[in-house]
């Protein structure tokens, strides 16, 4: 395996401001859409109408246990909603918990893994591909767990040599480049063949953000997948509503209390969004906006941007960039000279669909 060190991401306030002035961002931000706010209006209703009465009623009479149905119905609905994109072994993932978005799910899975390592007396290691979602590394390091990074191009060697006790964190569609990773299912199959126990945390938080049916559904039913984590933040722009969940092959005691300690408003909103829009609806609806936003931002930054599979992201070929400082800032993974540039189009897209004020520099070229 090639475990060479890759340079850390570049933090440059001046370049960050330049990208934001162009109507984009290096960080991926959720896009709030009119459809999201329409769903909120639907569930909250007005002061005396039936929608408002229903909303208030769900919080009452906690001693009856009726609130259990909220998260169970939401998780069942999400699995059905995601089925065109993800193959889920519903019987195999019998332990299911609502979470405050994807971050709570990821943190609990990683801490649970660290706790198990202490009990079973092995050295925990979280493995990731270089350029993956930064939260995996941050949570692991906060728990005192070693993190090992691998170039994704070496996935076959990684899959054959991954320690049996390691936890591999993988996003699909991929946070590395905003695209569906074509070899992901082969990688999961390789890991399944190399160990008896599942050892993958599969993060599908970008499901619902791609407009086209992938060539093959994401193989969450692979025996290598230990946990499946999801969120509605990216698909529906509900980042601050914290709507997510985790499906596990075994019980996760640290999430047991989430059966009660959950946000009923968020679950109600999540269920309404899933009912109102299928898994491809909003990405297809905003695909032309994504294309136009990529063209506008590209002109402002002097880059030839093309849309990624994920609706709010765009990429550029690093070799064609003439501004080397900007290229280094946007390159993902950082330090890999062959890696593409990746940025988020949310600021410009929000301006185009009318859910944001003007971009930071209104004098920039359209």
């Amino acid at each position: 395996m090639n475990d060479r060190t890759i340079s850390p991401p570049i933090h440059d306030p001046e370049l960050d401001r330049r990208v934001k002035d162009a109507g984009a961002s290096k960080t991926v931000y959720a896009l709030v859409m009119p459809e999201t706010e329409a769903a909120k209006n639907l569930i909250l209703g007005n002061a005396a109408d039936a929608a408002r009465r229903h909303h208030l009623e769900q919080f009452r009479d906690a001693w009856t246990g009726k609130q259990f149905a909220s998260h169970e119905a939401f998780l069942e609905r999400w699995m059905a909603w995601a089925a065109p994109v993800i193959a889920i072994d519903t019987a195999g993932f019998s332990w299911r918990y609502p979470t405050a978005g994807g971050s709570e799910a990821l943190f609990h899975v990683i801490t649970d893994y660290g706790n198990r390592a202490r009990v079973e007396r092995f050295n925990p290691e979280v493995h990731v591909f270089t350029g993956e979602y930064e939260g995996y590394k941050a949570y692991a390091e906060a728990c005192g767990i070693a993190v090992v990074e691998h170039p994704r191009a070496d996935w076959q060697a990684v899959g054959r040599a991954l320690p049996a006790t390691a936890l591999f964190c993988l996003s699909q569609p991929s946070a590395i480049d905003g695209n569906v990773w074509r070899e992901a299912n082969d990688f999961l199959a390789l890991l399944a063949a190399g160990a008896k126990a599942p050892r993958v945390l599969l993060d599908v938080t970008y499901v619902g953000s791609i407009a086209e049916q992938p060539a093959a559904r994401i193989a969450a039913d692979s025996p290598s997948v230990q946990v499946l984590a999801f969120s509605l933040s990216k698909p529906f722009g509900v980042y601050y509503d914290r709507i997510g969940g985790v499906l596990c092959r075994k019980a996760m005691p640290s999430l047991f209390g989430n059966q009660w300690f959950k946000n009923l408003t968020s679950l109600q909103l999540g269920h309404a969004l899933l009912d109102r829009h299928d898994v491809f609806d909003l990405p297809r609806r905003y695909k032309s906006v994504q294309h136009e936003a990529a063209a506008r931002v590209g002109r402002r930054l002097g880059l030839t941007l093309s849309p990624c599979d994920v609706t709010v992201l765009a990429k550029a070929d690093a070799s064609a960039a003439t501004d080397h400082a900007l290229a280094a800032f946007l390159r993902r993974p950082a330090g890999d000279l062959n890696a593409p540039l990746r940025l988020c189009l949310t600021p410009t897209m929000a301006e185009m669909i009318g859910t944001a004020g003007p971009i930071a520099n209104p004098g920039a070229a359209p």
Side-chain angles (χ1 to χ4, degrees), residues 138-153:
Y139 291 144
E141 291 179 343
C143 295
I145 300 173
V147 178
V148 181
E149 299 186 52
H150 311 272
R152 195 170 68 179

Side-chain angles (χ1 to χ4, degrees), residues 101-365:
S103 58
E104 184 182 29
L106 300 177
F107 179 72
H108 277 267
V109 172
I110 290 171
T111 54
D112 180 78
Y113 166 69
N115 290 337
R116 182 167 64 84
R118 283 185 283 275
V119 171
E120 299 179 11
R121 299 183 182 279
F122 65 84
N123 292 324
E125 290 182 347
V126 166
H127 289 243
V128 297
F129 289 128
T130 306
E132 263 284 14
Y133 171 58
E134 296 86 347
Y136 308 144
K137 184 176 182 180
Y139 291 144
E141 291 179 343
C143 295
I145 300 173
V147 178
V148 181
E149 299 186 52
H150 311 272
R152 195 170 68 179
D154 297 342
W155 66 269
Q156 291 178 311
V158 173
R160 294 190 185 98
L162 187 72
T165 56
L167 176 68
F168 201 100
C169 297
L170 177 71
S171 64
Q172 177 71 335
S174 178
I176 296 175
D177 54 14
N179 291 322
V180 175
W181 181 37
R182 310 306 178 199
E183 288 76 35
N185 287 355
D186 292 334
F187 178 64
L188 293 174
L190 196 58
L191 292 178
K196 294 181 180 179
R199 49 193 173 147
V200 175
L201 162 55
L202 183 57
D203 174 358
V204 294
T205 50
Y206 278 120
V207 166
S209 297
I210 59 173
E212 303 303 328
Q213 176 80 46
R217 291 194 298 167
I218 300 169
D221 56 350
S222 167
S224 64
V225 177
Q226 173 185 338
V227 175
L228 183 66
F230 74 90
S231 168
L232 300 192
S233 294
K234 299 298 194 313
F236 293 107
V238 290
Y239 178 88
Y240 288 109
D241 295 282
R242 311 313 301 145
I243 311 172
V246 60
L247 314 181
C248 310
R249 293 196 183 275
K250 295 182 179 180
M252 191 163 295
S254 65
L255 284 173
F256 182 76
N258 280 32
Q259 298 172 92
W260 300 284
F261 310 136
K262 60 195 179 190
N263 189 321
L264 296 180
T265 301
S266 291
L267 290 172
Q268 185 185 8
L269 173 60
H271 206 139
L273 288 166
L274 297 176
D275 282 345
R276 290 163 69 89
H277 306 283
D278 70 38
V279 71
F280 299 115
D281 180 30
L282 295 181
R284 287 174 176 169
R285 190 175 299 190
Y286 289 101
K287 191 172 184 178
S288 62
V289 177
Q290 178 193 19
H291 280 248
E292 177 58 26
R296 292 187 187 186
V297 172
R299 287 194 294 270
R300 294 165 184 161
L301 291 175
L303 297 172
T304 302
L305 290 173
S306 58
C308 299
D309 293 341
V310 172
T311 317
V312 297
L313 299 179
K315 64 182 184 295
D317 186 346
S319 63
T322 57
D323 187 327
H324 299 299
L326 180 64
F329 180 65
L330 295 175
R331 187 178 289 117
R332 193 177 182 101
D336 183 347
L337 298 180
N338 296 317
L341 316 185
R342 193 212 71 178
L343 51 72
C344 175
L345 302 171
T346 294
T348 291
M349 291 181 68
E351 182 192 30
M352 291 174 67
I353 66 177
T355 58
I359 58 175
N361 180 5

Side-chain angles (χ1 to χ4, degrees), residues 8-86:
I10 295 173
H11 300 285
D12 188 314
E14 183 177 343
L15 286 170
D16 185 63
R17 173 50 53 194
R18 181 179 166 192
V19 172
K20 287 181 178 177
D21 284 349
S25 63
K26 182 177 180 179
T27 302
V28 180
Y29 291 106
L31 176 66
V32 178
M33 294 162 281
E35 291 83 358
T36 302
E37 296 183 346
K40 289 186 176 183
N41 290 335
L42 173 75
I43 69 168
L44 294 176
N46 296 311
D49 65 15
R52 178 61 61 87
R53 289 194 299 271
H54 173 73
H55 174 72
L56 295 175
E57 177 61 31
Q58 68 181 334
F59 296 92
R60 300 170 181 155
D61 307 327
W63 58 89
T64 67
K66 69 180 185 180
Q67 287 81 6
F68 267 73
S70 297
H71 74 265
E72 291 171 348
F74 169 71
L75 294 170
E76 289 284 348
R77 184 69 188 88
W78 179 82
M79 288 188 288
W81 177 83
V85 179
I86 311 174

Side-chain angles (χ1 to χ4, degrees), residues 89-101:
D89 175 13
T90 55
F93 292 102
S94 56
W95 298 92
R96 306 164 188 171
Y97 307 94
T99 60

